[in-house]
Amino acid sequence: MCCVRTVKYKVKCNSKLTDLIISKRGLRQGDPFSAYLFLFCMDSLSRMFEDAQMNQKIKGIRASKDGPRINHLFFADDALLFVRNLQREVEACMQILKTFESMSGQGINMEKFMVYFCPKTSTAQRVRAN
């Protein structure tokens, strides 16, 4: 956290460095270090989902009959979570996300949040899940 709280900058303009700029609010988007910090956070979230699968709290899905189970995929700053439509698995997934949010300060952007159901999921189950 020392790296986040003690950020200092110098800007090069017309081949000259400016005086030292001391940030009062930590890392900003575009800071070269912020991408690494984000990767560390997402690695923690990934391990939380892997742990939940190993402890049989969530099962994930398979892309093929004998393929490995997948419970999440990350791409850049997006996440796809694969959870079976069982109350205990959905609750376990939500608990992981709440724990991650409290630990990292990163929350779900509800503007981008979407839920997709398997075509076999009944309308009653879809309504109950919302």
Side-chain angles (χ1 to χ4, degrees):
M1 289 308 292
C2 185
C3 291
V4 175
R5 293 188 182 117
T6 60
V7 178
K8 297 175 186 172
Y9 301 93
K10 281 192 175 189
V11 179
K12 193 172 194 178
C13 182
N14 296 330
S15 301
K16 294 181 182 178
L17 286 174
T18 64
D19 292 335
L20 194 64
I21 301 168
I22 300 172
S23 175
K24 294 183 175 87
R25 301 183 80 191
L27 292 175
R28 293 297 202 218
Q29 186 173 357
D31 185 305
F33 189 64
S34 65
Y36 293 110
L37 187 61
F38 180 77
L39 289 174
F40 290 135
C41 289
M42 296 312 286
D43 183 59
S44 296
L45 180 60
S46 178
R47 290 172 190 267
M48 292 167 77
F49 275 103
E50 289 171 1
D51 184 59
Q53 186 167 316
M54 278 195 318
N55 292 321
Q56 299 180 350
K57 292 179 182 176
I58 59 175
K59 208 169 191 178
I61 63 166
R62 286 191 171 137
S64 64
K65 183 180 175 187
D66 296 322
R69 291 200 173 270
I70 303 168
N71 58 45
H72 68 282
L73 292 173
F74 297 142
F75 179 76
D77 62 348
D78 291 323
L80 296 172
L81 307 177
F82 303 103
V83 180
R84 294 185 311 158
N85 191 16
L86 299 172
Q87 185 171 349
R88 66 181 175 80
E89 287 199 28
V90 172
E91 288 173 355
C93 178
M94 294 308 294
Q95 185 58 50
I96 291 168
L97 293 173
K98 286 177 187 174
T99 302
F100 177 74
E101 183 175 1
S102 69
M103 288 177 10
S104 69
Q106 295 183 30
I108 297 171
N109 183 342
M110 296 311 280
E111 304 263 326
K112 293 182 175 181
F113 183 78
M114 291 182 268
V115 176
Y116 291 99
F117 293 96
C118 169
K120 295 180 182 179
T121 305
S122 70
T123 303
Q125 283 181 308
R126 291 174 191 228
V127 169
R128 190 176 54 206
N130 289 327

